[in-house]
PDB file of all heavy atoms in Angstrom:
ATOM      1  N   VAL A1184     228.710 -58.079 160.364  1.00 97.00           N
ATOM      2  CA  VAL A1184     227.541 -58.953 160.522  1.00 97.00           C
ATOM      3  C   VAL A1184     227.687 -60.160 159.559  1.00 97.00           C
ATOM      4  O   VAL A1184     227.881 -59.961 158.369  1.00 97.00           O
ATOM      5  CB  VAL A1184     226.226 -58.203 160.190  1.00 97.00           C
ATOM      6  CG1 VAL A1184     225.019 -59.151 160.351  1.00 97.00           C
ATOM      7  CG2 VAL A1184     226.081 -56.970 161.062  1.00 97.00           C
ATOM      8  N   TYR A1185     227.606 -61.357 160.100  1.00 98.00           N
ATOM      9  CA  TYR A1185     227.836 -62.572 159.325  1.00 98.00           C
ATOM     10  C   TYR A1185     226.610 -63.483 159.379  1.00 98.00           C
ATOM     11  O   TYR A1185     225.924 -63.561 160.392  1.00 98.00           O
ATOM     12  CB  TYR A1185     229.031 -63.357 159.880  1.00 98.00           C
ATOM     13  CG  TYR A1185     230.333 -62.625 159.703  1.00 98.00           C
ATOM     14  CD1 TYR A1185     230.685 -61.581 160.577  1.00 98.00           C
ATOM     15  CD2 TYR A1185     231.203 -62.895 158.666  1.00 98.00           C
ATOM     16  CE1 TYR A1185     231.852 -60.860 160.392  1.00 98.00           C
ATOM     17  CE2 TYR A1185     232.374 -62.177 158.489  1.00 98.00           C
ATOM     18  CZ  TYR A1185     232.686 -61.169 159.347  1.00 98.00           C
ATOM     19  OH  TYR A1185     233.838 -60.460 159.160  1.00 98.00           O
ATOM     20  N   SER A1186     226.365 -64.160 158.257  1.00 98.00           N
ATOM     21  CA  SER A1186     225.367 -65.265 158.255  1.00 98.00           C
ATOM     22  C   SER A1186     226.150 -66.531 158.018  1.00 98.00           C
ATOM     23  O   SER A1186     227.099 -66.518 157.211  1.00 98.00           O
ATOM     24  CB  SER A1186     224.338 -65.070 157.144  1.00 98.00           C
ATOM     25  OG  SER A1186     223.656 -63.878 157.327  1.00 98.00           O
ATOM     26  N   ILE A1187     225.741 -67.615 158.627  1.00 98.00           N
ATOM     27  CA  ILE A1187     226.494 -68.859 158.427  1.00 98.00           C
ATOM     28  C   ILE A1187     225.560 -69.917 157.826  1.00 98.00           C
ATOM     29  O   ILE A1187     224.843 -70.570 158.557  1.00 98.00           O
ATOM     30  CB  ILE A1187     227.119 -69.360 159.743  1.00 98.00           C
ATOM     31  CG1 ILE A1187     227.948 -68.212 160.383  1.00 98.00           C
ATOM     32  CG2 ILE A1187     228.013 -70.588 159.489  1.00 98.00           C
ATOM     33  CD1 ILE A1187     228.547 -68.527 161.724  1.00 98.00           C
ATOM     34  N   ASN A1188     225.575 -70.001 156.510  1.00 97.00           N
ATOM     35  CA  ASN A1188     224.704 -70.990 155.854  1.00 97.00           C
ATOM     36  C   ASN A1188     225.498 -71.938 154.962  1.00 97.00           C
ATOM     37  O   ASN A1188     224.897 -72.721 154.246  1.00 97.00           O
ATOM     38  CB  ASN A1188     223.617 -70.269 155.033  1.00 97.00           C
ATOM     39  CG  ASN A1188     222.589 -71.193 154.480  1.00 97.00           C
ATOM     40  OD1 ASN A1188     222.234 -72.203 155.121  1.00 97.00           O
ATOM     41  ND2 ASN A1188     222.107 -70.943 153.263  1.00 97.00           N
ATOM     42  N   ASP A1189     226.804 -71.831 154.956  1.00 97.00           N
ATOM     43  CA  ASP A1189     227.597 -72.857 154.256  1.00 97.00           C
ATOM     44  C   ASP A1189     229.012 -72.852 154.799  1.00 97.00           C
ATOM     45  O   ASP A1189     229.369 -72.030 155.652  1.00 97.00           O
ATOM     46  CB  ASP A1189     227.532 -72.720 152.731  1.00 97.00           C
ATOM     47  CG  ASP A1189     228.108 -71.396 152.232  1.00 97.00           C
ATOM     48  OD1 ASP A1189     229.060 -70.894 152.831  1.00 97.00           O
ATOM     49  OD2 ASP A1189     227.581 -70.861 151.238  1.00 97.00           O
ATOM     50  N   LEU A1190     229.805 -73.787 154.308  1.00 97.00           N
ATOM     51  CA  LEU A1190     231.140 -73.976 154.859  1.00 97.00           C
ATOM     52  C   LEU A1190     232.022 -72.751 154.619  1.00 97.00           C
ATOM     53  O   LEU A1190     232.861 -72.386 155.467  1.00 97.00           O
ATOM     54  CB  LEU A1190     231.782 -75.223 154.203  1.00 97.00           C
ATOM     55  CG  LEU A1190     233.068 -75.742 154.839  1.00 97.00           C
ATOM     56  CD1 LEU A1190     232.802 -76.225 156.277  1.00 97.00           C
ATOM     57  CD2 LEU A1190     233.632 -76.922 154.011  1.00 97.00           C
ATOM     58  N   MET A1191     231.810 -72.082 153.468  1.00 96.00           N
ATOM     59  CA  MET A1191     232.616 -70.887 153.191  1.00 96.00           C
ATOM     60  C   MET A1191     232.258 -69.760 154.163  1.00 96.00           C
ATOM     61  O   MET A1191     233.121 -69.010 154.629  1.00 96.00           O
ATOM     62  CB  MET A1191     232.436 -70.492 151.711  1.00 96.00           C
ATOM     63  CG  MET A1191     233.177 -71.425 150.787  1.00 96.00           C
ATOM     64  SD  MET A1191     232.689 -71.405 149.063  1.00 96.00           S
ATOM     65  CE  MET A1191     233.078 -69.771 148.553  1.00 96.00           C
ATOM     66  N   ASP A1192     230.961 -69.637 154.488  1.00 97.00           N
ATOM     67  CA  ASP A1192     230.533 -68.647 155.486  1.00 97.00           C
ATOM     68  C   ASP A1192     231.215 -68.946 156.843  1.00 97.00           C
ATOM     69  O   ASP A1192     231.635 -68.067 157.561  1.00 97.00           O
ATOM     70  CB  ASP A1192     229.022 -68.725 155.764  1.00 97.00           C
ATOM     71  CG  ASP A1192     228.193 -68.286 154.568  1.00 97.00           C
ATOM     72  OD1 ASP A1192     228.706 -67.617 153.666  1.00 97.00           O
ATOM     73  OD2 ASP A1192     226.973 -68.626 154.554  1.00 97.00           O
ATOM     74  N   TYR A1193     231.233 -70.253 157.191  1.00 98.00           N
ATOM     75  CA  TYR A1193     231.790 -70.666 158.471  1.00 98.00           C
ATOM     76  C   TYR A1193     233.293 -70.319 158.519  1.00 98.00           C
ATOM     77  O   TYR A1193     233.790 -69.808 159.515  1.00 98.00           O
ATOM     78  CB  TYR A1193     231.566 -72.188 158.643  1.00 98.00           C
ATOM     79  CG  TYR A1193     232.163 -72.774 159.901  1.00 98.00           C
ATOM     80  CD1 TYR A1193     231.519 -72.655 161.126  1.00 98.00           C
ATOM     81  CD2 TYR A1193     233.385 -73.478 159.857  1.00 98.00           C
ATOM     82  CE1 TYR A1193     232.064 -73.196 162.277  1.00 98.00           C
ATOM     83  CE2 TYR A1193     233.937 -74.024 161.013  1.00 98.00           C
ATOM     84  CZ  TYR A1193     233.260 -73.881 162.213  1.00 98.00           C
ATOM     85  OH  TYR A1193     233.823 -74.428 163.348  1.00 98.00           O
ATOM     86  N   ARG A1194     233.976 -70.599 157.404  1.00 97.00           N
ATOM     87  CA  ARG A1194     235.415 -70.302 157.322  1.00 97.00           C
ATOM     88  C   ARG A1194     235.626 -68.786 157.558  1.00 97.00           C
ATOM     89  O   ARG A1194     236.459 -68.380 158.366  1.00 97.00           O
ATOM     90  CB  ARG A1194     235.965 -70.715 155.959  1.00 97.00           C
ATOM     91  CG  ARG A1194     237.424 -70.392 155.754  1.00 97.00           C
ATOM     92  CD  ARG A1194     237.966 -70.920 154.438  1.00 97.00           C
ATOM     93  NE  ARG A1194     238.240 -72.341 154.512  1.00 97.00           N
ATOM     94  CZ  ARG A1194     237.656 -73.287 153.810  1.00 97.00           C
ATOM     95  NH1 ARG A1194     236.727 -72.972 152.939  1.00 97.00           N
ATOM     96  NH2 ARG A1194     237.995 -74.564 153.944  1.00 97.00           N
ATOM     97  N   ALA A1195     234.812 -67.989 156.840  1.00 97.00           N
ATOM     98  CA  ALA A1195     234.967 -66.526 156.930  1.00 97.00           C
ATOM     99  C   ALA A1195     234.682 -66.036 158.358  1.00 97.00           C
ATOM    100  O   ALA A1195     235.375 -65.179 158.903  1.00 97.00           O
ATOM    101  CB  ALA A1195     234.036 -65.837 155.941  1.00 97.00           C
ATOM    102  N   PHE A1196     233.661 -66.614 158.988  1.00 98.00           N
ATOM    103  CA  PHE A1196     233.297 -66.175 160.355  1.00 98.00           C
ATOM    104  C   PHE A1196     234.382 -66.536 161.348  1.00 98.00           C
ATOM    105  O   PHE A1196     234.745 -65.731 162.187  1.00 98.00           O
ATOM    106  CB  PHE A1196     231.952 -66.789 160.765  1.00 98.00           C
ATOM    107  CG  PHE A1196     231.533 -66.354 162.141  1.00 98.00           C
ATOM    108  CD1 PHE A1196     231.175 -65.019 162.344  1.00 98.00           C
ATOM    109  CD2 PHE A1196     231.549 -67.228 163.207  1.00 98.00           C
ATOM    110  CE1 PHE A1196     230.821 -64.590 163.654  1.00 98.00           C
ATOM    111  CE2 PHE A1196     231.181 -66.808 164.492  1.00 98.00           C
ATOM    112  CZ  PHE A1196     230.817 -65.470 164.690  1.00 98.00           C
ATOM    113  N   ARG A1197     234.905 -67.739 161.250  1.00 97.00           N
ATOM    114  CA  ARG A1197     235.964 -68.145 162.198  1.00 97.00           C
ATOM    115  C   ARG A1197     237.177 -67.231 162.082  1.00 97.00           C
ATOM    116  O   ARG A1197     237.792 -66.868 163.074  1.00 97.00           O
ATOM    117  CB  ARG A1197     236.408 -69.602 161.913  1.00 97.00           C
ATOM    118  CG  ARG A1197     235.515 -70.627 162.595  1.00 97.00           C
ATOM    119  CD  ARG A1197     236.192 -71.967 162.621  1.00 97.00           C
ATOM    120  NE  ARG A1197     237.099 -72.036 163.744  1.00 97.00           N
ATOM    121  CZ  ARG A1197     236.896 -72.719 164.854  1.00 97.00           C
ATOM    122  NH1 ARG A1197     235.801 -73.407 165.029  1.00 97.00           N
ATOM    123  NH2 ARG A1197     237.828 -72.739 165.796  1.00 97.00           N
TER     124      ARG A1197
END
Side-chain angles (χ1 to χ4, degrees):
V1184 180
Y1185 294 79
S1186 299
I1187 307 177
N1188 187 35
D1189 62 35
L1190 193 63
M1191 287 163 62
D1192 293 342
Y1193 177 80
R1194 177 176 281 117
F1196 181 69
R1197 276 196 81 107

